[in-house]
Amino acid sequence: MFFKKLKKTSVLLLSLFIIPTSVLAYSDYLIPGGENIGIQIETSGVIVVGMYDVNGKNPAMDAGLKVGDIITKVNDEPVASIDDMVSKINTSKNEKISISYKRDGQVKSTTLEIFKDENSVYKTGLYVKDSITGIGTLSFIDPETKLFGALGHEIVEKNTGVLLEIQNGKIFETNVTSIDRSSSGTPGSKNAEFYLDSEQGTISENTESGIFGTYTEELPNKKLYKVAQVDDIQVGKATILTVLEGQNVQEYDINILKLNNSSSQKTKNILFEITDKALLEKTGGVVQGMSGSSIIQGDYIIGAVTHVVVDEPTRGYGIFITNMLEEAEN
C-alpha cells in the first residue's frame, strides 16, 4: 500500500478546483465499493529514485539531477519507460548524453556522463522507476457513466514523495490472503495475491482526492446509495465496506467522532473510530490497503477511508464522497 507520515501521526492508506454542485455531472446514486483492488500505474517519464557512484564519481549528482526528477527525454528523444531510456543510451555514440527532465513542474535540461563497464553495459549513476504496483480499495462506481473512484488520496512514489503522473494505469482483481495487525506506532496492512490479467478498469487520473477511471467489467449487482451532501452527514454510527479475507466484502461498524468541512481540508474530513469487535480482532484497527473503503450512513454513501492515526490505530480519517466526485469531474 502507499503511505506517508503526517502530524499526530497519520498514514495515508496507497499528489482543484471546486465546481458548484449544480453543474456537476455525477449521478445522485452510486454503487458502493469495498472490493480489494490491485493498482498498477505506468508513469509519464522515468522517475529518479536514487543515485550511485561510478568509477569514483557521481555522474547524476555532477549533472545536477536530484531524487524525484522525472526524465522525459534522452538526446532530445522522448522516453516513456526504462526500456526506452536504456535503448536510447545504448544507441548513443558519445560518453555524454543530454537529459530533459521535470522538477517542480518546470522542464530543465542537463548533460549526463555515462560509463561503459567491462561487460559493455552503460552505467549512468541513476536508480530509476517507471511503474508502481500495490493494493487499495474501490470506493464507488457511477452506474450511469461507469466512472470509478478509489483510495481517497493520491499515489506517490514512496522513496521520493513525488506524485505519479499517469501514462497508463489499471485496476485488477486481487485475493486478500492475510492481515498484519495494526498496533500503536505500527500500521498494519492487508496482504493479497495479484491477478494482473484480470483487469477491472483503466485509470485516467491520480489526484489528491483519489484515483479515478473507467470501470470496464460488468457492473456489480449491488444496492445503490444516495450521494450524501455534507449537511446530510451526522456524528455517530456508520459503517465501512471492506475485504479482510478473499474477495468477500463485509460491513463493519464505526462511530464518527468529528466532521471537518474546511475548504482547505480535502481528504481528512471524517474522524472515526472502529467499534466493530470482529474487525478489531482481525486487524487491530485501520490497516494499509483499507484506504478507499466506502463509508455508509443509513441510505447514504458519505465518504471513503483514507488514513490511520498511527499512535491510535482504532481511529482513522475519511474523505467526503462529494470531494472525491468533484475531483473526478475535473
Side-chain angles (χ1 to χ4, degrees), residues 179-183 186-189 279-287:
I179 302 287
D180 295 329
R181 286 171 49 86
S182 284
S183 59
T186 306
S189 63
L279 180 57
L280 290 172
E281 183 177 348
K282 183 80 172 178
T283 68
V286 182
V287 296

Side-chain angles (χ1 to χ4, degrees), residues 23-235:
V23 302
L24 293 173
Y26 61 76
S27 301
D28 291 334
Y29 287 83
L30 300 175
I31 301 171
E35 290 83 359
N36 204 77
I37 54 172
I39 299 164
Q40 185 176 64
I41 287 178
E42 297 176 4
T43 62
S44 297
V46 176
I47 302 174
V48 177
V49 297
M51 301 178 184
Y52 61 92
D53 289 343
V54 183
N55 297 341
K57 297 183 178 181
N58 194 308
M61 189 176 294
D62 291 343
L65 293 169
K66 294 182 178 181
V67 169
D69 289 343
I70 302 173
I71 296 171
T72 57
K73 290 183 180 180
V74 171
N75 290 335
D76 295 322
E77 295 186 56
V79 293
S81 67
I82 293 174
D83 287 344
D84 276 353
M85 185 173 172
V86 170
S87 175
K88 289 172 174 58
I89 291 172
N90 285 338
T91 57
S92 176
K93 297 180 180 179
N94 299 315
E95 293 181 350
K96 293 185 178 182
I97 57 174
S98 65
I99 297 285
S100 296
Y101 62 96
K102 289 183 182 178
R103 180 187 295 165
D104 299 328
Q106 295 185 331
V107 178
K108 299 175 179 287
S109 61
T110 189
T111 299
L112 177 69
E113 189 174 6
I114 56 177
F115 300 84
K116 186 179 287 188
D117 67 12
E118 65 274 11
N119 298 314
S120 296
V121 175
Y122 281 112
K123 299 293 186 180
T124 63
L126 291 169
Y127 293 115
V128 293
K129 180 180 288 188
D130 62 4
S131 65
I132 191 166
T133 303
I135 63 172
T137 304
L138 185 69
S139 303
F140 67 83
I141 307 169
D142 187 320
E144 296 184 11
T145 65
K146 298 193 77 172
L147 175 75
F148 76 81
L151 293 186
H153 63 71
E154 76 276 22
I155 297 174
V156 298
E157 201 289 314
K158 67 178 181 179
N159 296 306
T160 65
V162 171
L163 183 142
L164 298 180
E165 296 182 20
I166 295 176
Q167 177 174 300
N168 296 297
K170 68 179 181 179
I171 59 171
F172 54 90
E173 187 178 335
T174 64
N175 188 68
V176 177
T177 55
S178 63
I179 302 287
D180 295 329
R181 286 171 49 86
S182 284
S183 59
S184 181
T186 306
S189 63
K190 294 184 183 184
N191 304 306
E193 297 173 333
F194 287 7
Y195 303 110
L196 287 165
D197 293 335
S198 298
E199 184 176 317
Q200 297 173 316
T202 57
I203 303 170
S204 57
E205 289 187 279
N206 176 29
T207 80
E208 67 172 330
S209 299
I211 61 170
F212 305 97
T214 302
Y215 195 77
T216 53
E217 292 291 281
E218 183 178 346
L219 292 176
N221 183 20
K222 300 169 72 173
K223 174 183 174 179
L224 300 182
Y225 285 86
K226 186 173 176 59
V227 173
Q229 302 302 312
V230 175
D231 290 344
D232 297 320
I233 305 171
Q234 305 294 322
V235 169

Side-chain angles (χ1 to χ4, degrees), residues 309-326:
V309 178
V310 173
D311 54 1
E312 198 171 359
T314 58
R315 293 189 174 193
Y317 289 95
I319 183 174
F320 290 142
I321 195 66
T322 47
N323 284 351
M324 291 188 73
L325 290 165
E326 286 167 7

Side-chain angles (χ1 to χ4, degrees), residues 255-323:
N255 185 47
I256 296 174
L257 301 172
K258 186 178 180 180
L259 302 173
N260 184 348
N261 191 28
S262 168
S263 59
S264 63
Q265 182 55 258
K266 291 301 176 185
T267 60
K268 295 169 70 175
N269 307 122
I270 302 169
L271 174 64
F272 67 88
E273 62 180 355
I274 296 174
T275 57
D276 195 288
K277 292 182 179 179
L279 180 57
L280 290 172
E281 183 177 348
K282 183 80 172 178
T283 68
V286 182
V287 296
Q288 296 170 48
M290 197 179 282
S291 80
S293 300
S294 310
I295 305 177
I296 305 296
Q297 192 171 60
D299 291 324
Y300 289 99
I301 179 169
I302 67 172
V305 175
T306 58
H307 300 72
V308 57
V309 178
V310 173
D311 54 1
E312 198 171 359
T314 58
R315 293 189 174 193
Y317 289 95
I319 183 174
F320 290 142
I321 195 66
T322 47
N323 284 351

